[in-house]
Amino acid sequence: MTAAARPPRTHPRKAAPKSTPDRDALTVMLRIRRFEERCVELYSAAKIRGFVHLYIGEEAVAVGVCAALTSEDAVVSTYREHGHALARGISAESVMAEMYGKVTGCSRGHGGSMHLFDATHRFYGGNAIVGGGLPLAAGLALADRMCDRPRVTCCFFGDGAMAEGEFHETANLAALWDLPLLLVCENNQYAMGTALRREHAQTDLAMRAASYGMAAWAVDGMDVHAVASATRRAVEGIRAGNGPHFLELRTYRFRAHSMYDSDRYRDKAEIERWKERDPIDLLLGRMRAAGEPVDRELPGIEQRICEEIDAAVDAAERAPAEPVEALLRQVTSPPQETGEASEP
């Protein structure tokens, strides 16, 4: 079975296999993939509206990075954040409800696809502005450093953000102030429709980050083992007081930039070449080579994920929208009740 093939939902129920790092990684990567495949169906049926940016092809990045973080660490994300949120442990039900704009969503339906937020998981967005999460992450890291808390803030951003002033300001201050900040560049080769080589004179993004005096290196972002190993190394360095670290994770999105994108700027043969290194298939191959009975266990894993997503969709369909009278909640401040007449 290839990672792209959607499984039937009629397998007999099987007990969950014993947890191992590879099985856990495989399960989360498949959860992200199947969740997003369902989002494509729902978007086409006009159940989900607005902008939707799919993460399909990049699952190893989210899963490998989040596996190396603790629950006390913070994560700041981008508008392509479904994978980050699910890898961080936010439930499929909560994310799907947010996609539907329902009050049971992780942002109470206020944000939709690009603005997932869950403080209980220390997941601070979902940010629709390219590079917009970088200053926020620097602020979180600065607060932890000032309060002497042993935390790391991880900030995801795309290769396009490396051309934004926010990146350079954040990298400079992070290095200057020795912030406990992990900068994770998801280099998927394209900033919207612009290829990396057409946007950056220096395409070695890790080298550019190193110019700010921080540890930085490039990693195969299609290999979840390589991602997790690099992230652990970086996090250990940050916790040891060695300042911010930068990871350039070289990956690829198999789908268009967004659901509105006709994707005419990429050669189809290029997409197919990258699909030969599908991160899910790579992990499956590694598990088979290690003698793990993954092919016997895979149908049960797929069935449990499909049932979980089915339940999330059903819950989102039934959940209420926020009442009209609450639409300004957390948007404007209520007038002060001073007893004095307000000025016109």
Side-chain angles (χ1 to χ4, degrees):
M1 172 184 286
T2 63
R6 184 158 184 180
R9 302 178 191 172
T10 57
H11 293 297
R13 184 93 181 159
K14 295 184 179 181
K18 182 180 178 181
S19 176
T20 68
D22 276 352
R23 283 181 180 80
D24 292 345
L26 176 64
T27 298
V28 181
M29 290 168 72
L30 284 168
R31 179 179 292 116
I32 295 168
R33 181 72 59 91
R34 303 309 177 213
F35 182 94
E36 294 217 314
E37 289 170 345
R38 183 65 69 84
C39 287
V40 172
E41 296 176 11
L42 295 167
Y43 186 91
S44 299
K47 297 287 188 178
I48 294 174
R49 300 176 182 243
F51 285 97
V52 175
H53 302 82
L54 299 173
Y55 200 68
I56 293 173
E58 301 184 33
E59 294 90 350
V61 172
V63 174
V65 169
C66 288
L69 302 174
T70 73
S71 60
E72 289 299 308
D73 296 329
V75 173
V76 179
S77 187
T78 71
Y79 50 73
R80 196 183 305 280
E81 86 277 36
H82 311 150
H84 304 150
L86 293 170
R88 186 61 178 165
I90 301 175
S91 71
E93 182 174 323
S94 179
V95 176
M96 187 62 77
E98 188 60 34
M99 302 286 284
Y100 268 69
K102 296 299 184 69
V103 71
T104 53
C106 56
S107 300
R108 293 186 60 85
H110 288 183
S113 171
M114 293 195 288
H115 297 280
L116 305 178
F117 185 98
D118 191 332
T120 62
H121 287 85
R122 291 186 54 77
F123 188 83
Y124 299 111
N127 198 305
I129 305 300
V130 174
L134 285 156
L136 302 177
L140 288 165
L142 177 61
D144 286 336
R145 200 205 69 174
M146 293 177 69
C147 294
D148 198 28
R149 293 188 289 244
R151 295 172 173 172
V152 170
T153 296
C154 170
C155 183
F156 292 97
F157 53 95
D159 48 286
M162 294 282 288
E164 299 289 333
E166 290 93 339
F167 169 76
H168 300 283
E169 293 164 351
T170 298
N172 180 62
L173 289 178
L176 185 65
W177 294 342
D178 253 357
L179 299 185
L181 180 62
L182 175 61
L183 297 171
V184 177
C185 177
E186 294 183 296
N187 179 4
N188 64 19
Q189 319 300 316
Y190 287 89
M192 295 186 69
T194 304
L196 181 71
R197 66 183 182 280
R198 295 182 180 272
E199 181 184 14
H200 295 285
Q202 172 53 266
T203 58
D204 187 333
L205 303 183
M207 180 182 293
R208 293 179 63 190
S211 71
Y212 286 99
M214 67 178 73
W217 62 94
V219 182
D220 180 359
M222 307 301 273
D223 182 343
V224 70
H225 280 205
V227 174
S229 176
T231 306
R232 285 192 297 268
R233 175 184 163 194
V235 168
E236 288 169 3
I238 295 169
R239 295 197 201 282
N242 296 328
H245 283 54
F246 176 99
L247 296 177
E248 178 194 348
L249 302 181
R250 296 174 178 172
T251 184
Y252 198 82
R253 53 176 169 81
F254 296 164
R255 299 276 186 152
H257 170 72
S258 73
M259 292 295 292
Y260 284 103
D261 179 15
S262 60
D263 202 11
R264 295 179 180 175
Y265 47 83
R266 300 191 297 181
D267 184 74
K268 301 305 179 187
E270 176 187 290
I271 300 172
E272 293 306 313
R273 284 195 302 271
W274 276 93
K275 284 184 176 181
E276 292 174 3
R277 301 198 70 248
D278 185 304
I280 296 176
D281 288 339
L282 286 179
L283 179 57
L284 284 169
R286 185 175 301 219
M287 294 172 73
R288 291 177 183 122
E292 297 190 44
V294 64
D295 290 309
R296 187 176 70 235
E297 297 166 347
L298 189 57
I301 295 172
E302 290 273 22
Q303 182 184 359
R304 284 186 289 275
I305 289 170
C306 282
E307 290 173 353
E308 178 185 350
I309 296 171
D310 285 344
V313 172
D314 182 61
E317 293 275 1
R318 292 184 290 101
E322 191 161 38
V324 172
E325 57 269 20
L327 290 181
L328 293 181
R329 182 174 177 266
Q330 298 176 331
V331 177
T332 61
S333 299
Q336 293 182 342
E337 297 179 1
T338 61
E340 300 177 3
S342 59
E343 295 182 4

